[in-house]
Structure formats: C-alpha cells, structure tokens
Amino acid sequence: MKLASKFKTATVLGAVCAAFAVPAHAEFTGSAGLGVHVWDGGYRDTDAQVWPIPAVDVETDHFYFKGLEAGGFLVKTDAHRLMLGVSYMGLGFDAGDSDDARMKKLDDRDGSFFANVTYAWRSQLGQITASIGADISGKSEGFMSDVSWMKRFDVAGFGVTPQVGVLFTSEKFNDYYYGVSHAESKRSGLDAYSADAGVSPYFRLIGDYRISEKFSVYAEGTVRSLSKEIKDSPMVDGDIAYGFGAGVSYHF
C-alpha cells in the first residue's frame, strides 16, 4: 500500500478550512484529531490507497468542519439541517501503482473538489441524510448524490453506529474514473469503455470509545457494492469496494 500523494488530503483540508475561517470569538463545540483511512476502489491489480485524514468534527451556529468538508448552515434546528459546503473527494488512480502492465499505460485520474448541498433530518429513529455534489475542480465535471440512514447505539460503554446508504454517480463521473478512451485502448491493449451513470449501495459501521473526558478513539469499516457500470470497466477486477479507518480525537 502506498501513502497517497504524501499527505495531500491533510494539505487540501487546510485550504478548504481557510475558505470558511471561523472568527476568533465564535463559540464552537466538537472534536479534532488524526486518523488513517485505507480505501480499495476495485482498480485492477492496484494496491489500496492509504490516507492520513484529519478527524475533525466542529460546529458553530453558522459553520461546520467535518472530515474533508467545510461549509455553512443555511438552516440549523434540532431536527432539520440544510448545509452548503465544499469537500475534497480523494478517489483517484495512479497508473504507476498498478501491477498490470496494461493499466500502467492508462492516464492518471485525480481527486477533486465538490460543492455540496446536504439536508439532514434527525429524530429518535436516527438520522436521514440526502446530499448532491458537483465537481467544481474540472476533473470529471460530474456529480454524485448520496442518501443514507444512520443511528448511534450505546453498547457497554462503546458507541456503535451503523449506516446504510445508496450512492449515485453520474455518467461523467464514472467515465472519468473508470472509462478507457480509444487512445488509451490503443496503447494499453485494454478494451475501450465508456461508462454510464450508476447506483452503488453501501454499508458502514463506526465504533467509538471514550477513553477519558477529553479523548476518544474510533474505527470504521465500509463495504460498497459497485454499480454494473463500474464493474463492467476493464479497469476494475471486482464487485466490491471497501475501506477501513481508525483514529483518535480530542474533545473540547
């Protein structure tokens, strides 16, 4: 496994957060720390990506910082939240990382910035979240939409949060990350492929434990069933994408 672009996600987060800087007098609550995330997107003969991820979860009355996303609240009540934010989406492909000689001759696919509109409804039954995001970095020029349900349970001092969702990715998004152009096909020997839009269901399980008043640790795992449009790509050799993460947080 390779360390993806030498801590690029941490650098990118700093740029995103700077765009939504919180005034020094603003009251806020939340946590900050550091985690490591491993993600295997299903690319043929390519090792999983390893990212250092800031474990940030901070809110003020008007702004929020969560993971690799920063933004503002358009509506914020106990039950309803409407948010506008900018996030970094780290999915990518480095041709040099693949052990397949044909994959090494393809173009790289870079991570991208997304502008997102998100609505969340909270109740005793859990939280339902719906979001739509558009690539604003000029990479795929596509968009994706995510609808999910999640709820945290306390189990013998541990927090356990299951999440079930569906991710929609547009034709341009899929074609950028999983398509093979005719020029790439000629030099690599892989079949040319143009991807359509697709839907990928997923399941995530998050566990957390408060080790002291100020510190907690967490771990998470995600399994995503790749859509047919992604699985059919000659760049992909599996049906499942998966990720794991762990880290420590300081609460204030």
Side-chain angles (χ1 to χ4, degrees), residues 73 75-82 120 122:
F73 292 104
V75 175
K76 185 181 181 184
T77 69
D78 289 341
H80 304 281
R81 298 185 177 202
L82 182 62
R122 296 179 174 183

Side-chain angles (χ1 to χ4, degrees), residues 216-243:
S216 66
V217 291
Y218 73 89
E220 65 170 297
T222 302
V223 178
R224 181 188 301 166
S225 177
L226 297 175
S227 67
K228 181 179 184 300
E229 289 71 18
I230 294 176
K231 290 187 293 186
D232 286 349
S233 168
M235 295 180 66
V236 175
D237 62 357
D239 298 336
I240 300 293
Y242 64 86

